[in-house]
Amino acid sequence: MALHDHPHRHLGFRFPSPARTSTAPASADEATAAATATRAHVFAGLRLLTGFVFLWAFLDKTFGLGYATGSGKGWIDGGSPTKGFLGSVAVGPMESTFHDWAGAAWADWLFMLGLLGIGLALIAGIGLRLAAVAGTVMMALMWVAEWPPAKHLSDGSASMSTNPFADYHLVYAVVLIALAAAGAGATWGLGRVWARLPFVSRNRWLL
């Protein structure tokens, strides 16, 4: 009777390879680090873009650069940054209040300082918590001024509202809050340097 060599059969149980056990965690760590870096850069890019929106609004309204504010109608030319918008409010529970505020010096200064402060804070990556609070208040007031829930204006004409709740003011407010919560100033910004300053370390609300 001939003897046949049977091929070696591997059992189901194997000892772990030292090479595999040493590289698997490293690969996982590398993937996590890469995802964290990507997320940080995405938030940083969003922060810079949002900051430019606010800063550009300030510059255009101040100097009348010909976009939302016509040439010669800027703040430095004697124009009012709030008169046109607040004076044209035609819907909502604060319609008459906004008309009273329209063109007032205190309203102009608060609005413009808010745009400048929020824009600079986002561009620099510092004071994001303050920027989020100020920006959310500003967006909330502008949301009320446009009053998306209304289908008709006070004169009965169509409001042209496309959504009864969510509009770009709400989106901007959520973005500002998300940027502050994510600490988005540390990447492409001065967030880390700002956080190490003694008076900021003692007052965390300044982050």
Side-chain angles (χ1 to χ4, degrees), residues 84-125:
F85 178 69
L86 295 181
S88 63
V89 172
V91 68
M94 294 184 64
E95 179 180 351
S96 60
T97 302
F98 286 135
H99 289 172
D100 292 337
W101 293 357
W106 65 266
D108 288 343
W109 276 94
L110 280 179
F111 180 57
M112 295 299 283
L113 288 177
L115 290 177
L116 178 62
I118 295 167
L120 290 178
L122 292 174
I123 295 294

PDB file of all heavy atoms in Angstrom, residues 84-125:
ATOM      1  N   GLY A  84     -32.071 101.719   5.713  1.00  0.00           N
ATOM      2  CA  GLY A  84     -32.702 101.043   4.590  1.00  0.00           C
ATOM      3  C   GLY A  84     -33.340  99.726   4.982  1.00  0.00           C
ATOM      4  O   GLY A  84     -34.498  99.464   4.639  1.00  0.00           O
ATOM      5  N   PHE A  85     -32.601  98.902   5.722  1.00  0.00           N
ATOM      6  CA  PHE A  85     -33.110  97.577   6.080  1.00  0.00           C
ATOM      7  C   PHE A  85     -34.224  97.662   7.111  1.00  0.00           C
ATOM      8  O   PHE A  85     -35.328  97.131   6.900  1.00  0.00           O
ATOM      9  CB  PHE A  85     -31.959  96.713   6.613  1.00  0.00           C
ATOM     10  CG  PHE A  85     -32.392  95.349   7.064  1.00  0.00           C
ATOM     11  CD1 PHE A  85     -32.831  94.402   6.147  1.00  0.00           C
ATOM     12  CD2 PHE A  85     -32.381  95.007   8.403  1.00  0.00           C
ATOM     13  CE1 PHE A  85     -33.243  93.135   6.558  1.00  0.00           C
ATOM     14  CE2 PHE A  85     -32.784  93.752   8.833  1.00  0.00           C
ATOM     15  CZ  PHE A  85     -33.216  92.811   7.907  1.00  0.00           C
ATOM     16  N   LEU A  86     -33.969  98.334   8.228  1.00  0.00           N
ATOM     17  CA  LEU A  86     -34.977  98.395   9.281  1.00  0.00           C
ATOM     18  C   LEU A  86     -36.176  99.241   8.870  1.00  0.00           C
ATOM     19  O   LEU A  86     -37.306  98.961   9.276  1.00  0.00           O
ATOM     20  CB  LEU A  86     -34.360  98.950  10.567  1.00  0.00           C
ATOM     21  CG  LEU A  86     -33.280  98.086  11.224  1.00  0.00           C
ATOM     22  CD1 LEU A  86     -32.779  98.746  12.506  1.00  0.00           C
ATOM     23  CD2 LEU A  86     -33.804  96.691  11.513  1.00  0.00           C
ATOM     24  N   GLY A  87     -35.930 100.263   8.066  1.00  0.00           N
ATOM     25  CA  GLY A  87     -37.045 101.109   7.631  1.00  0.00           C
ATOM     26  C   GLY A  87     -37.981 100.415   6.669  1.00  0.00           C
ATOM     27  O   GLY A  87     -39.133 100.829   6.507  1.00  0.00           O
ATOM     28  N   SER A  88     -37.508  99.353   6.014  1.00  0.00           N
ATOM     29  CA  SER A  88     -38.334  98.648   5.039  1.00  0.00           C
ATOM     30  C   SER A  88     -39.002  97.402   5.617  1.00  0.00           C
ATOM     31  O   SER A  88     -39.664  96.664   4.874  1.00  0.00           O
ATOM     32  CB  SER A  88     -37.484  98.255   3.830  1.00  0.00           C
ATOM     33  OG  SER A  88     -36.449  97.356   4.213  1.00  0.00           O
ATOM     34  N   VAL A  89     -38.825  97.152   6.912  1.00  0.00           N
ATOM     35  CA  VAL A  89     -39.475  95.996   7.533  1.00  0.00           C
ATOM     36  C   VAL A  89     -40.985  96.150   7.402  1.00  0.00           C
ATOM     37  O   VAL A  89     -41.555  97.184   7.766  1.00  0.00           O
ATOM     38  CB  VAL A  89     -39.067  95.872   9.020  1.00  0.00           C
ATOM     39  CG1 VAL A  89     -39.892  94.780   9.707  1.00  0.00           C
ATOM     40  CG2 VAL A  89     -37.588  95.570   9.135  1.00  0.00           C
ATOM     41  N   ALA A  90     -41.641  95.138   6.875  1.00  0.00           N
ATOM     42  CA  ALA A  90     -43.079  95.239   6.610  1.00  0.00           C
ATOM     43  C   ALA A  90     -43.837  94.038   7.127  1.00  0.00           C
ATOM     44  O   ALA A  90     -44.920  93.716   6.623  1.00  0.00           O
ATOM     45  CB  ALA A  90     -43.309  95.392   5.105  1.00  0.00           C
ATOM     46  N   VAL A  91     -43.290  93.371   8.146  1.00  0.00           N
ATOM     47  CA  VAL A  91     -43.951  92.183   8.658  1.00  0.00           C
ATOM     48  C   VAL A  91     -43.362  91.861  10.025  1.00  0.00           C
ATOM     49  O   VAL A  91     -42.261  92.301  10.365  1.00  0.00           O
ATOM     50  CB  VAL A  91     -43.736  90.988   7.685  1.00  0.00           C
ATOM     51  CG1 VAL A  91     -42.288  90.564   7.679  1.00  0.00           C
ATOM     52  CG2 VAL A  91     -44.638  89.819   8.007  1.00  0.00           C
ATOM     53  N   GLY A  92     -44.107  91.101  10.798  1.00  0.00           N
ATOM     54  CA  GLY A  92     -43.569  90.612  12.065  1.00  0.00           C
ATOM     55  C   GLY A  92     -43.987  91.413  13.279  1.00  0.00           C
ATOM     56  O   GLY A  92     -44.485  92.546  13.157  1.00  0.00           O
ATOM     57  N   PRO A  93     -43.776  90.874  14.449  1.00  0.00           N
ATOM     58  CA  PRO A  93     -44.227  91.506  15.687  1.00  0.00           C
ATOM     59  C   PRO A  93     -43.434  92.742  16.087  1.00  0.00           C
ATOM     60  O   PRO A  93     -43.874  93.502  16.957  1.00  0.00           O
ATOM     61  CB  PRO A  93     -44.038  90.391  16.736  1.00  0.00           C
ATOM     62  CG  PRO A  93     -42.947  89.526  16.182  1.00  0.00           C
ATOM     63  CD  PRO A  93     -43.145  89.556  14.696  1.00  0.00           C
ATOM     64  N   MET A  94     -42.255  92.956  15.496  1.00  0.00           N
ATOM     65  CA  MET A  94     -41.429  94.103  15.857  1.00  0.00           C
ATOM     66  C   MET A  94     -41.333  95.131  14.727  1.00  0.00           C
ATOM     67  O   MET A  94     -40.407  95.937  14.682  1.00  0.00           O
ATOM     68  CB  MET A  94     -40.019  93.637  16.251  1.00  0.00           C
ATOM     69  CG  MET A  94     -39.973  92.813  17.513  1.00  0.00           C
ATOM     70  SD  MET A  94     -38.273  92.376  18.000  1.00  0.00           S
ATOM     71  CE  MET A  94     -37.574  93.997  18.350  1.00  0.00           C
ATOM     72  N   GLU A  95     -42.301  95.120  13.840  1.00  0.00           N
ATOM     73  CA  GLU A  95     -42.271  96.019  12.680  1.00  0.00           C
ATOM     74  C   GLU A  95     -42.146  97.478  13.097  1.00  0.00           C
ATOM     75  O   GLU A  95     -41.259  98.211  12.641  1.00  0.00           O
ATOM     76  CB  GLU A  95     -43.521  95.812  11.829  1.00  0.00           C
ATOM     77  CG  GLU A  95     -43.590  96.717  10.606  1.00  0.00           C
ATOM     78  CD  GLU A  95     -44.846  96.480   9.782  1.00  0.00           C
ATOM     79  OE1 GLU A  95     -45.565  95.491  10.068  1.00  0.00           O
ATOM     80  OE2 GLU A  95     -45.103  97.280   8.859  1.00  0.00           O
ATOM     81  N   SER A  96     -43.011  97.942  13.980  1.00  0.00           N
ATOM     82  CA  SER A  96     -42.984  99.347  14.396  1.00  0.00           C
ATOM     83  C   SER A  96     -41.725  99.667  15.197  1.00  0.00           C
ATOM     84  O   SER A  96     -41.169 100.761  15.090  1.00  0.00           O
ATOM     85  CB  SER A  96     -44.225  99.681  15.215  1.00  0.00           C
ATOM     86  OG  SER A  96     -44.304  98.865  16.379  1.00  0.00           O
ATOM     87  N   THR A  97     -41.260  98.712  15.982  1.00  0.00           N
ATOM     88  CA  THR A  97     -40.035  98.917  16.763  1.00  0.00           C
ATOM     89  C   THR A  97     -38.838  99.104  15.858  1.00  0.00           C
ATOM     90  O   THR A  97     -38.010 100.006  16.063  1.00  0.00           O
ATOM     91  CB  THR A  97     -39.786  97.724  17.707  1.00  0.00           C
ATOM     92  OG1 THR A  97     -40.904  97.565  18.577  1.00  0.00           O
ATOM     93  CG2 THR A  97     -38.531  97.946  18.533  1.00  0.00           C
ATOM     94  N   PHE A  98     -38.740  98.272  14.840  1.00  0.00           N
ATOM     95  CA  PHE A  98     -37.631  98.397  13.899  1.00  0.00           C
ATOM     96  C   PHE A  98     -37.697  99.715  13.143  1.00  0.00           C
ATOM     97  O   PHE A  98     -36.661 100.311  12.830  1.00  0.00           O
ATOM     98  CB  PHE A  98     -37.627  97.223  12.918  1.00  0.00           C
ATOM     99  CG  PHE A  98     -37.149  95.928  13.524  1.00  0.00           C
ATOM    100  CD1 PHE A  98     -37.821  94.736  13.293  1.00  0.00           C
ATOM    101  CD2 PHE A  98     -36.016  95.891  14.325  1.00  0.00           C
ATOM    102  CE1 PHE A  98     -37.374  93.546  13.840  1.00  0.00           C
ATOM    103  CE2 PHE A  98     -35.565  94.696  14.881  1.00  0.00           C
ATOM    104  CZ  PHE A  98     -36.241  93.526  14.645  1.00  0.00           C
ATOM    105  N   HIS A  99     -38.885 100.182  12.836  1.00  0.00           N
ATOM    106  CA  HIS A  99     -39.022 101.485  12.173  1.00  0.00           C
ATOM    107  C   HIS A  99     -38.497 102.598  13.069  1.00  0.00           C
ATOM    108  O   HIS A  99     -37.880 103.557  12.580  1.00  0.00           O
ATOM    109  CB  HIS A  99     -40.486 101.741  11.815  1.00  0.00           C
ATOM    110  CG  HIS A  99     -40.990 100.871  10.701  1.00  0.00           C
ATOM    111  ND1 HIS A  99     -42.325 100.819  10.328  1.00  0.00           N
ATOM    112  CD2 HIS A  99     -40.338 100.008   9.869  1.00  0.00           C
ATOM    113  CE1 HIS A  99     -42.459  99.975   9.326  1.00  0.00           C
ATOM    114  NE2 HIS A  99     -41.289  99.471   9.037  1.00  0.00           N
ATOM    115  N   ASP A 100     -38.744 102.477  14.364  1.00  0.00           N
ATOM    116  CA  ASP A 100     -38.240 103.488  15.302  1.00  0.00           C
ATOM    117  C   ASP A 100     -36.720 103.441  15.403  1.00  0.00           C
ATOM    118  O   ASP A 100     -36.071 104.481  15.597  1.00  0.00           O
ATOM    119  CB  ASP A 100     -38.849 103.264  16.691  1.00  0.00           C
ATOM    120  CG  ASP A 100     -40.347 103.546  16.732  1.00  0.00           C
ATOM    121  OD1 ASP A 100     -40.832 104.294  15.864  1.00  0.00           O
ATOM    122  OD2 ASP A 100     -41.021 103.005  17.629  1.00  0.00           O
ATOM    123  N   TRP A 101     -36.145 102.249  15.282  1.00  0.00           N
ATOM    124  CA  TRP A 101     -34.686 102.100  15.380  1.00  0.00           C
ATOM    125  C   TRP A 101     -33.968 102.529  14.102  1.00  0.00           C
ATOM    126  O   TRP A 101     -32.794 102.884  14.149  1.00  0.00           O
ATOM    127  CB  TRP A 101     -34.314 100.650  15.672  1.00  0.00           C
ATOM    128  CG  TRP A 101     -34.725 100.155  17.028  1.00  0.00           C
ATOM    129  CD1 TRP A 101     -35.321 100.868  18.022  1.00  0.00           C
ATOM    130  CD2 TRP A 101     -34.565  98.815  17.513  1.00  0.00           C
ATOM    131  NE1 TRP A 101     -35.549 100.071  19.119  1.00  0.00           N
ATOM    132  CE2 TRP A 101     -35.088  98.808  18.841  1.00  0.00           C
ATOM    133  CE3 TRP A 101     -34.040  97.643  16.989  1.00  0.00           C
ATOM    134  CZ2 TRP A 101     -35.090  97.651  19.626  1.00  0.00           C
ATOM    135  CZ3 TRP A 101     -34.041  96.504  17.766  1.00  0.00           C
ATOM    136  CH2 TRP A 101     -34.556  96.501  19.072  1.00  0.00           C
ATOM    137  N   ALA A 102     -34.660 102.470  12.982  1.00  0.00           N
ATOM    138  CA  ALA A 102     -34.029 102.702  11.684  1.00  0.00           C
ATOM    139  C   ALA A 102     -33.342 104.065  11.632  1.00  0.00           C
ATOM    140  O   ALA A 102     -33.963 105.093  11.882  1.00  0.00           O
ATOM    141  CB  ALA A 102     -35.064 102.595  10.572  1.00  0.00           C
ATOM    142  N   GLY A 103     -32.068 104.052  11.320  1.00  0.00           N
ATOM    143  CA  GLY A 103     -31.323 105.296  11.155  1.00  0.00           C
ATOM    144  C   GLY A 103     -30.819 105.921  12.437  1.00  0.00           C
ATOM    145  O   GLY A 103     -30.093 106.925  12.384  1.00  0.00           O
ATOM    146  N   ALA A 104     -31.169 105.360  13.589  1.00  0.00           N
ATOM    147  CA  ALA A 104     -30.694 105.908  14.860  1.00  0.00           C
ATOM    148  C   ALA A 104     -29.187 105.698  14.969  1.00  0.00           C
ATOM    149  O   ALA A 104     -28.664 104.648  14.589  1.00  0.00           O
ATOM    150  CB  ALA A 104     -31.411 105.236  16.025  1.00  0.00           C
ATOM    151  N   ALA A 105     -28.494 106.701  15.511  1.00  0.00           N
ATOM    152  CA  ALA A 105     -27.033 106.625  15.597  1.00  0.00           C
ATOM    153  C   ALA A 105     -26.581 105.431  16.418  1.00  0.00           C
ATOM    154  O   ALA A 105     -25.628 104.731  16.038  1.00  0.00           O
ATOM    155  CB  ALA A 105     -26.486 107.924  16.188  1.00  0.00           C
ATOM    156  N   TRP A 106     -27.259 105.154  17.527  1.00  0.00           N
ATOM    157  CA  TRP A 106     -26.850 104.033  18.382  1.00  0.00           C
ATOM    158  C   TRP A 106     -27.026 102.697  17.662  1.00  0.00           C
ATOM    159  O   TRP A 106     -26.212 101.778  17.814  1.00  0.00           O
ATOM    160  CB  TRP A 106     -27.628 104.039  19.701  1.00  0.00           C
ATOM    161  CG  TRP A 106     -29.100 103.801  19.563  1.00  0.00           C
ATOM    162  CD1 TRP A 106     -30.084 104.732  19.455  1.00  0.00           C
ATOM    163  CD2 TRP A 106     -29.752 102.525  19.503  1.00  0.00           C
ATOM    164  NE1 TRP A 106     -31.318 104.145  19.322  1.00  0.00           N
ATOM    165  CE2 TRP A 106     -31.143 102.784  19.362  1.00  0.00           C
ATOM    166  CE3 TRP A 106     -29.313 101.210  19.563  1.00  0.00           C
ATOM    167  CZ2 TRP A 106     -32.080 101.761  19.274  1.00  0.00           C
ATOM    168  CZ3 TRP A 106     -30.247 100.191  19.462  1.00  0.00           C
ATOM    169  CH2 TRP A 106     -31.619 100.462  19.332  1.00  0.00           C
ATOM    170  N   ALA A 107     -28.093 102.613  16.852  1.00  0.00           N
ATOM    171  CA  ALA A 107     -28.336 101.377  16.099  1.00  0.00           C
ATOM    172  C   ALA A 107     -27.262 101.190  15.022  1.00  0.00           C
ATOM    173  O   ALA A 107     -26.767 100.074  14.802  1.00  0.00           O
ATOM    174  CB  ALA A 107     -29.720 101.401  15.476  1.00  0.00           C
ATOM    175  N   ASP A 108     -26.911 102.296  14.348  1.00  0.00           N
ATOM    176  CA  ASP A 108     -25.862 102.216  13.330  1.00  0.00           C
ATOM    177  C   ASP A 108     -24.538 101.757  13.938  1.00  0.00           C
ATOM    178  O   ASP A 108     -23.862 100.873  13.390  1.00  0.00           O
ATOM    179  CB  ASP A 108     -25.664 103.581  12.672  1.00  0.00           C
ATOM    180  CG  ASP A 108     -26.813 103.955  11.755  1.00  0.00           C
ATOM    181  OD1 ASP A 108     -27.589 103.054  11.381  1.00  0.00           O
ATOM    182  OD2 ASP A 108     -26.932 105.145  11.423  1.00  0.00           O
ATOM    183  N   TRP A 109     -24.159 102.361  15.066  1.00  0.00           N
ATOM    184  CA  TRP A 109     -22.891 102.026  15.698  1.00  0.00           C
ATOM    185  C   TRP A 109     -22.875 100.580  16.207  1.00  0.00           C
ATOM    186  O   TRP A 109     -21.897  99.858  16.018  1.00  0.00           O
ATOM    187  CB  TRP A 109     -22.588 102.994  16.846  1.00  0.00           C
ATOM    188  CG  TRP A 109     -21.949 104.263  16.373  1.00  0.00           C
ATOM    189  CD1 TRP A 109     -22.565 105.444  16.069  1.00  0.00           C
ATOM    190  CD2 TRP A 109     -20.555 104.460  16.115  1.00  0.00           C
ATOM    191  NE1 TRP A 109     -21.657 106.373  15.643  1.00  0.00           N
ATOM    192  CE2 TRP A 109     -20.410 105.802  15.658  1.00  0.00           C
ATOM    193  CE3 TRP A 109     -19.431 103.662  16.211  1.00  0.00           C
ATOM    194  CZ2 TRP A 109     -19.166 106.338  15.321  1.00  0.00           C
ATOM    195  CZ3 TRP A 109     -18.184 104.180  15.872  1.00  0.00           C
ATOM    196  CH2 TRP A 109     -18.068 105.505  15.433  1.00  0.00           C
ATOM    197  N   LEU A 110     -23.936 100.163  16.861  1.00  0.00           N
ATOM    198  CA  LEU A 110     -23.984  98.787  17.364  1.00  0.00           C
ATOM    199  C   LEU A 110     -23.903  97.783  16.222  1.00  0.00           C
ATOM    200  O   LEU A 110     -23.183  96.776  16.298  1.00  0.00           O
ATOM    201  CB  LEU A 110     -25.253  98.560  18.178  1.00  0.00           C
ATOM    202  CG  LEU A 110     -25.261  99.067  19.617  1.00  0.00           C
ATOM    203  CD1 LEU A 110     -26.606  98.776  20.275  1.00  0.00           C
ATOM    204  CD2 LEU A 110     -24.134  98.424  20.426  1.00  0.00           C
ATOM    205  N   PHE A 111     -24.648  98.043  15.164  1.00  0.00           N
ATOM    206  CA  PHE A 111     -24.674  97.131  14.024  1.00  0.00           C
ATOM    207  C   PHE A 111     -23.302  97.043  13.356  1.00  0.00           C
ATOM    208  O   PHE A 111     -22.786  95.949  13.092  1.00  0.00           O
ATOM    209  CB  PHE A 111     -25.726  97.593  13.022  1.00  0.00           C
ATOM    210  CG  PHE A 111     -25.843  96.736  11.792  1.00  0.00           C
ATOM    211  CD1 PHE A 111     -26.116  95.380  11.893  1.00  0.00           C
ATOM    212  CD2 PHE A 111     -25.684  97.277  10.524  1.00  0.00           C
ATOM    213  CE1 PHE A 111     -26.223  94.577  10.764  1.00  0.00           C
ATOM    214  CE2 PHE A 111     -25.788  96.491   9.389  1.00  0.00           C
ATOM    215  CZ  PHE A 111     -26.059  95.138   9.509  1.00  0.00           C
ATOM    216  N   MET A 112     -22.693  98.192  13.112  1.00  0.00           N
ATOM    217  CA  MET A 112     -21.412  98.201  12.418  1.00  0.00           C
ATOM    218  C   MET A 112     -20.284  97.643  13.284  1.00  0.00           C
ATOM    219  O   MET A 112     -19.415  96.912  12.789  1.00  0.00           O
ATOM    220  CB  MET A 112     -21.087  99.627  11.965  1.00  0.00           C
ATOM    221  CG  MET A 112     -22.057 100.156  10.926  1.00  0.00           C
ATOM    222  SD  MET A 112     -22.076  99.163   9.409  1.00  0.00           S
ATOM    223  CE  MET A 112     -20.572  99.725   8.612  1.00  0.00           C
ATOM    224  N   LEU A 113     -20.280  97.976  14.569  1.00  0.00           N
ATOM    225  CA  LEU A 113     -19.277  97.407  15.456  1.00  0.00           C
ATOM    226  C   LEU A 113     -19.448  95.898  15.581  1.00  0.00           C
ATOM    227  O   LEU A 113     -18.461  95.158  15.703  1.00  0.00           O
ATOM    228  CB  LEU A 113     -19.348  98.069  16.834  1.00  0.00           C
ATOM    229  CG  LEU A 113     -18.846  99.517  16.907  1.00  0.00           C
ATOM    230  CD1 LEU A 113     -19.050 100.076  18.311  1.00  0.00           C
ATOM    231  CD2 LEU A 113     -17.374  99.607  16.514  1.00  0.00           C
ATOM    232  N   GLY A 114     -20.700  95.447  15.550  1.00  0.00           N
ATOM    233  CA  GLY A 114     -20.956  94.014  15.578  1.00  0.00           C
ATOM    234  C   GLY A 114     -20.399  93.315  14.352  1.00  0.00           C
ATOM    235  O   GLY A 114     -19.727  92.278  14.455  1.00  0.00           O
ATOM    236  N   LEU A 115     -20.661  93.881  13.165  1.00  0.00           N
ATOM    237  CA  LEU A 115     -20.122  93.293  11.933  1.00  0.00           C
ATOM    238  C   LEU A 115     -18.603  93.260  11.955  1.00  0.00           C
ATOM    239  O   LEU A 115     -17.980  92.241  11.612  1.00  0.00           O
ATOM    240  CB  LEU A 115     -20.597  94.096  10.722  1.00  0.00           C
ATOM    241  CG  LEU A 115     -22.078  93.998  10.341  1.00  0.00           C
ATOM    242  CD1 LEU A 115     -22.373  94.918   9.164  1.00  0.00           C
ATOM    243  CD2 LEU A 115     -22.463  92.567   9.991  1.00  0.00           C
ATOM    244  N   LEU A 116     -17.987  94.372  12.361  1.00  0.00           N
ATOM    245  CA  LEU A 116     -16.529  94.447  12.385  1.00  0.00           C
ATOM    246  C   LEU A 116     -15.942  93.483  13.415  1.00  0.00           C
ATOM    247  O   LEU A 116     -14.991  92.746  13.114  1.00  0.00           O
ATOM    248  CB  LEU A 116     -16.090  95.879  12.705  1.00  0.00           C
ATOM    249  CG  LEU A 116     -14.572  96.107  12.819  1.00  0.00           C
ATOM    250  CD1 LEU A 116     -13.883  95.793  11.495  1.00  0.00           C
ATOM    251  CD2 LEU A 116     -14.281  97.546  13.259  1.00  0.00           C
ATOM    252  N   GLY A 117     -16.491  93.493  14.623  1.00  0.00           N
ATOM    253  CA  GLY A 117     -15.962  92.642  15.680  1.00  0.00           C
ATOM    254  C   GLY A 117     -16.089  91.167  15.355  1.00  0.00           C
ATOM    255  O   GLY A 117     -15.130  90.389  15.525  1.00  0.00           O
ATOM    256  N   ILE A 118     -17.249  90.761  14.861  1.00  0.00           N
ATOM    257  CA  ILE A 118     -17.459  89.352  14.510  1.00  0.00           C
ATOM    258  C   ILE A 118     -16.552  88.947  13.353  1.00  0.00           C
ATOM    259  O   ILE A 118     -15.930  87.881  13.371  1.00  0.00           O
ATOM    260  CB  ILE A 118     -18.935  89.098  14.158  1.00  0.00           C
ATOM    261  CG1 ILE A 118     -19.817  89.329  15.381  1.00  0.00           C
ATOM    262  CG2 ILE A 118     -19.130  87.680  13.626  1.00  0.00           C
ATOM    263  CD1 ILE A 118     -21.296  89.397  15.068  1.00  0.00           C
ATOM    264  N   GLY A 119     -16.452  89.817  12.348  1.00  0.00           N
ATOM    265  CA  GLY A 119     -15.604  89.509  11.200  1.00  0.00           C
ATOM    266  C   GLY A 119     -14.148  89.354  11.580  1.00  0.00           C
ATOM    267  O   GLY A 119     -13.485  88.385  11.185  1.00  0.00           O
ATOM    268  N   LEU A 120     -13.614  90.296  12.369  1.00  0.00           N
ATOM    269  CA  LEU A 120     -12.214  90.228  12.774  1.00  0.00           C
ATOM    270  C   LEU A 120     -11.945  89.032  13.685  1.00  0.00           C
ATOM    271  O   LEU A 120     -10.908  88.370  13.576  1.00  0.00           O
ATOM    272  CB  LEU A 120     -11.809  91.522  13.476  1.00  0.00           C
ATOM    273  CG  LEU A 120     -11.717  92.768  12.594  1.00  0.00           C
ATOM    274  CD1 LEU A 120     -11.347  93.982  13.434  1.00  0.00           C
ATOM    275  CD2 LEU A 120     -10.704  92.571  11.465  1.00  0.00           C
ATOM    276  N   ALA A 121     -12.882  88.753  14.606  1.00  0.00           N
ATOM    277  CA  ALA A 121     -12.715  87.618  15.513  1.00  0.00           C
ATOM    278  C   ALA A 121     -12.644  86.305  14.729  1.00  0.00           C
ATOM    279  O   ALA A 121     -11.796  85.444  15.017  1.00  0.00           O
ATOM    280  CB  ALA A 121     -13.855  87.572  16.521  1.00  0.00           C
ATOM    281  N   LEU A 122     -13.500  86.144  13.742  1.00  0.00           N
ATOM    282  CA  LEU A 122     -13.504  84.916  12.953  1.00  0.00           C
ATOM    283  C   LEU A 122     -12.263  84.802  12.077  1.00  0.00           C
ATOM    284  O   LEU A 122     -11.669  83.726  11.964  1.00  0.00           O
ATOM    285  CB  LEU A 122     -14.762  84.855  12.093  1.00  0.00           C
ATOM    286  CG  LEU A 122     -16.088  84.674  12.841  1.00  0.00           C
ATOM    287  CD1 LEU A 122     -17.259  84.787  11.878  1.00  0.00           C
ATOM    288  CD2 LEU A 122     -16.125  83.334  13.558  1.00  0.00           C
ATOM    289  N   ILE A 123     -11.858  85.887  11.454  1.00  0.00           N
ATOM    290  CA  ILE A 123     -10.671  85.853  10.604  1.00  0.00           C
ATOM    291  C   ILE A 123      -9.432  85.520  11.438  1.00  0.00           C
ATOM    292  O   ILE A 123      -8.588  84.696  11.039  1.00  0.00           O
ATOM    293  CB  ILE A 123     -10.476  87.200   9.887  1.00  0.00           C
ATOM    294  CG1 ILE A 123     -11.625  87.463   8.898  1.00  0.00           C
ATOM    295  CG2 ILE A 123      -9.122  87.226   9.165  1.00  0.00           C
ATOM    296  CD1 ILE A 123     -11.674  86.516   7.729  1.00  0.00           C
ATOM    297  N   ALA A 124      -9.322  86.147  12.612  1.00  0.00           N
ATOM    298  CA  ALA A 124      -8.154  85.923  13.464  1.00  0.00           C
ATOM    299  C   ALA A 124      -8.237  84.617  14.241  1.00  0.00           C
ATOM    300  O   ALA A 124      -7.212  84.083  14.674  1.00  0.00           O
ATOM    301  CB  ALA A 124      -7.986  87.092  14.435  1.00  0.00           C
ATOM    302  N   GLY A 125      -9.439  84.109  14.456  1.00  0.00           N
ATOM    303  CA  GLY A 125      -9.603  82.874  15.213  1.00  0.00           C
ATOM    304  C   GLY A 125      -9.560  83.077  16.714  1.00  0.00           C
ATOM    305  O   GLY A 125      -9.197  82.169  17.458  1.00  0.00           O
TER     306      GLY A 125
END
